[in-house]
Amino acid sequence: MRWRVLGLLFLARIGIGFQFQTVASVSDDLVVAFGLDYVDIGFLIGLFMAPGLFLSIPAGYWGRYVSDRIMVVFGLGALALGGAASSLATESWVIGIGRVFAGVGFLFTSLYFTKMVADWFEGREIATAMSVLVMSWPFGIAMGQVGHVWLAQTYGWQVPFQAASVYCLIAALGVFLLYRPPHDLPDATGGAWVALTRQEWSLLLCAAAAWGVFNAAYVIYLAFAPKVLEGHGQTAIVAAGIISIGSWIMIFSGAVCGQIVDRFGGRNGVLAVCMGGAIAALLLLGLPGAGVGASILFGLIGMAPAGAIMAMAGQAMRPQVRAFGMGMFLTVYYAIMWITPPVAGAILDATDNPRAPLWLAMILFFAVVPLGFAFQLFRGAPVVGHERKV
């Protein structure tokens, strides 16, 4: 049963990546249509993350009173609404409003999809399950990298936003009709409040920072790597297609990496090897004619440990505090994700070199490794703190 549930959540969560990728895929059209620069594009990309800074903790708290299923349906509906609003824009600020609405949906879906999988797979193949779940994000992005560019060039920049919104509405209906929680889940709704221990706080912060810098580096790659290939003479569609290769490959490499960590352990060693691969791929991307090889290396090795990193969140907390803890987890994650795209855009504007933002991505990938070691250190420490019930 839990694998059927995972399949449902995977298909529904594709909508997050599909909606997120819209701005990056039509960025050149938006620059022309609204007179934007790439700092503005980075800001619009980052706005997708902004609501998480303010709503992650309340969203986790509301999980004590509202079912996970309804929270996800609400989130997917907000994603659809945000995309529809952006598609109707005649001024750039309207696109920003749409991105904020979509960002609210991103927050709720990210929090409760992760909680659902942790509830179903705690103590049994959780790294594999999280790998499968988080691969829905690059799956949706890869769909957008190819599909959105074609739709924009054929029908206009508005249509990718609309297509992503339709997908999110269908996903919301599927979750509403088909999702059921596990029967043996401890009741975490209403009643007394159970606090995080000090050890859980330490583990949570390490996991959140690792997940944040890992995804921030990936977003920089998605937004600026195609421009590196365009500088080597590729068309926009061909460049998007080459970069999307990595996103398609990581769907499978992530599941394999999750299995390796579940069966044999050694997560920190896996992180060190894979982050080295990610950095090598970004360096290789700068060589003329090496785009396909760099994208394959990036997807096969560099992005493979996504599920193993996300599994740290599930392992950091007890089920009773998981909804609130995921709210804190996402607050840190969103702070990192909100800041980095505008910084990367500013680097491009300042240098006029599309390779320059990728150096920031390399630094962020490198930071994953010490955060993974810190998580392991805190996990092995004695439990300090106590459960507080009020």
Side-chain angles (χ1 to χ4, degrees):
M1 177 63 180
R2 67 184 188 276
W3 294 105
R4 289 197 295 271
V5 169
L6 181 61
L8 169 67
L9 300 182
F10 177 90
L11 292 173
R13 196 174 180 271
I14 287 172
I16 302 177
F18 200 40
Q19 187 66 267
F20 172 78
Q21 182 60 23
T22 49
V23 168
S25 292
V26 303
S27 60
D28 290 339
D29 299 280
L30 298 180
V31 167
V32 173
F34 298 105
L36 305 178
D37 58 27
Y38 285 101
V39 174
D40 298 323
I41 294 298
F43 181 72
L44 289 175
I45 293 172
L47 275 179
F48 202 77
M49 313 297 169
L53 285 173
F54 312 102
L55 294 179
S56 292
I57 295 174
Y61 182 78
W62 294 334
R64 302 177 68 220
Y65 305 102
V66 183
S67 71
D68 299 345
R69 178 171 63 109
I70 297 302
M71 289 293 202
V72 165
V73 170
F74 170 79
L76 289 166
L79 280 160
L81 177 63
S86 293
S87 75
L88 299 175
T90 56
E91 299 286 344
S92 60
W93 64 266
V94 180
I95 298 177
I97 294 296
R99 293 294 280 182
V100 171
F101 276 116
V104 171
F106 182 41
L107 161 64
F108 279 87
T109 51
S110 295
L111 195 161
Y112 285 96
F113 275 134
T114 305
K115 180 182 179 297
M116 287 170 170
V117 171
D119 289 342
W120 272 99
F121 285 87
E122 182 182 19
R124 43 188 180 180
E125 300 157 315
I126 189 170
T128 301
M130 286 295 184
S131 296
V132 172
L133 179 74
V134 300
M135 288 306 111
S136 60
W137 164 262
F139 192 102
I141 286 173
M143 285 172 54
Q145 285 175 312
V146 178
H148 289 336
V149 173
W150 178 80
L151 286 172
Q153 293 192 356
T154 306
Y155 301 106
W157 64 264
Q158 299 90 342
V159 176
F161 290 98
Q162 296 164 358
S165 294
V166 170
Y167 189 99
C168 290
L169 286 176
I170 295 172
L173 180 62
V175 171
F176 181 77
L177 294 176
L178 300 176
Y179 179 76
R180 296 295 181 271
H183 297 299
D184 57 350
L185 184 67
D187 185 16
T189 60
W193 175 260
V194 181
L196 292 166
T197 65
R198 292 181 186 177
Q199 183 185 44
E200 285 173 326
W201 276 110
S202 299
L203 293 170
L204 182 154
L205 293 174
C206 288
W211 185 237
V213 297
F214 179 80
N215 277 276
Y218 178 47
V219 168
I220 292 171
Y221 170 82
L222 294 173
F224 299 102
K227 301 188 183 306
V228 175
L229 298 185
E230 289 174 35
H232 294 159
Q234 303 288 355
T235 66
I237 289 181
V238 171
I242 291 173
I243 295 304
S244 75
I245 292 171
S247 296
W248 291 114
I249 291 175
M250 66 185 282
I251 296 165
F252 305 100
S253 66
V256 172
C257 186
Q259 276 283 297
I260 291 172
V261 173
D262 274 333
R263 289 174 179 264
F264 305 108
R267 175 168 50 211
N268 289 334
V270 169
L271 290 180
V273 170
C274 291
M275 293 306 93
I279 293 169
L282 295 184
L283 291 171
L284 184 63
L285 193 68
L287 301 178
V292 172
S295 190
I296 291 173
L297 176 62
F298 187 78
L300 189 63
I301 305 297
M303 294 303 293
I309 297 171
M310 177 54 87
M312 292 160 62
Q315 295 166 343
M317 299 164 281
R318 293 155 294 149
Q320 306 94 293
V321 296
R322 190 166 285 143
F324 172 76
M326 285 305 303
M328 291 301 307
F329 174 92
L330 289 175
T331 299
V332 177
Y333 164 76
Y334 283 122
I336 295 170
M337 290 287 282
W338 188 21
I339 293 169
T340 48
V343 172
I347 291 172
L348 176 57
D349 284 336
T351 62
D352 199 28
N353 180 358
R355 291 183 60 189
L358 299 185
W359 285 98
L360 175 59
M362 292 181 214
I363 293 170
L364 295 172
F365 277 131
F366 177 81
V368 173
V369 178
L371 288 167
F373 278 98
F375 181 90
Q376 188 64 36
L377 178 65
F378 285 123
R379 199 175 183 201
V383 176
V384 179
H386 63 279
E387 294 185 9
R388 177 172 54 87
K389 299 186 178 182
V390 296

